[in-house]
Amino acid sequence: DGGITQSPKYLFRKEGQNVTLSCEQNLNHDAMYWYRQDPGQGLRLIYYSQIVNDFQKGDIAEGYSVSREKKESFPLTVTSAQKNPTAFYLCASSTGDSLGTQYFGPGTRLLVL
Amino acid sequence: GQQLNQSPQSMFIQEGEDVSMNCTSSSIFNTWLWYKQDPGEGPVLLIALYKAGELTSNGRLTAQFGITRKDSFLNISASIPSDVGIYFCAGHHSGAGSYQLTFGKGTKLSVIP
């Protein structure tokens, strides 16, 4: 059953702590994306990766880091430099072709203690 | 980043009524996508449109790619309670190296039984 999985569903962060959100896809997609969703603000792009071992900053990359060591995995680290990390985080993937269609995972909600 | 103008922001309708929502942009897109998001879940792709003027249906849902390539609408016929959720439009421009989607802020649909 092909799809995108994100874990955990809920994550709690303490002050000064780095946390890592997992995103895995078995769709054989080349491109992967991380979005942040806040109430009333829609989806904002954090980072994206077009291919393994390559990634680019999106609109709100400050305080976040990513890696793309494997095609199927694109973990997002929320660092202590991100002062307002409470949000719903969505991972997506696409084939990377010119049509641009993206498919989303179920999301991770990050809360600050 | 750029945002699409999606309207209405929210709507309350009676079960059985038809629904219409739309997105407009100042830029031309090559792909229009419509997603539905349930509370606490990731967006699910409903309809993808790849050609100007294209009209595509998915069950009770119908979407059209505007002829100017700057707008799209989504209609839902004979609404039912499970149609409740937030509907997002997204546009993609297939320029060189362009992987990003531009999103609307969503239309929140409530269905009164």
Side-chain angles (χ1 to χ4, degrees):
Chain A
D1 204 12
I4 304 172
T5 57
Q6 291 185 242
S7 61
K9 183 74 173 174
Y10 297 94
L11 187 57
F12 297 91
R13 193 191 93 164
K14 295 180 181 178
E15 292 289 336
Q17 188 180 44
N18 292 353
V19 291
T20 297
L21 284 61
S22 169
C23 178
E24 303 276 331
Q25 55 97 2
N26 61 4
L27 300 169
N28 200 34
H29 284 172
D30 284 320
M32 297 185 74
Y33 313 80
W34 274 105
Y35 293 92
R36 171 179 172 142
Q37 187 176 37
D38 296 283
Q41 291 208 40
L43 293 166
R44 293 185 290 170
L45 183 65
I46 305 172
Y47 267 99
Y48 66 102
S49 169
Q50 300 173 15
I51 200 166
V52 174
N53 293 322
D54 183 63
F55 50 83
Q56 282 81 43
K57 293 181 179 180
D59 299 321
I60 55 165
E62 186 175 349
Y64 300 97
S65 66
V66 293
S67 63
R68 186 86 187 277
E69 296 176 2
K70 297 187 294 184
K71 186 176 184 177
E72 59 270 23
S73 179
F74 191 39
L76 173 75
T77 296
V78 184
T79 74
S80 57
Q82 174 49 245
K83 297 307 178 188
N84 184 24
T86 297
F88 192 50
Y89 290 87
L90 288 161
C91 178
S93 71
S94 72
T95 61
D97 65 17
S98 61
L99 298 178
T101 306
Q102 293 182 20
Y103 300 88
F104 286 86
T108 292
R109 184 163 298 281
L110 176 61
L111 299 165
V112 178
L113 295 177
Chain B
Q2 182 189 356
Q3 289 268 336
L4 296 176
N5 296 314
Q6 185 171 351
S7 64
Q9 279 188 303
S10 62
M11 31 189 340
F12 290 82
I13 60 168
Q14 290 284 143
E15 183 177 356
E17 288 183 348
D18 297 344
V19 173
S20 184
M21 59 192 78
N22 70 83
C23 279
T24 60
S25 170
S26 57
S27 303
I28 290 173
F29 290 114
N30 301 107
T31 295
W32 280 95
L33 305 169
W34 285 93
Y35 296 89
K36 183 194 177 198
Q37 185 175 26
D38 291 328
E41 301 294 331
V44 173
L45 181 66
L46 298 174
I47 293 179
L49 302 159
Y50 301 120
K51 187 177 177 181
E54 179 182 1
L55 184 71
T56 297
S57 293
N58 178 7
R60 294 177 297 105
L61 278 61
T62 301
Q64 183 155 30
F65 192 141
I67 198 71
T68 64
R69 296 201 286 161
K70 293 183 178 181
D71 63 324
S72 177
F73 72 75
L74 174 71
N75 287 343
I76 306 173
S77 62
S79 59
I80 59 177
S82 62
D83 291 333
V84 166
I86 300 178
Y87 292 79
F88 290 99
C89 61
H92 177 256
H93 180 67
S94 58
S98 172
Y99 285 76
Q100 298 185 34
L101 293 180
T102 302
F103 291 91
K105 290 193 174 183
T107 295
K108 185 175 182 180
L109 179 63
S110 301
V111 179
I112 304 167

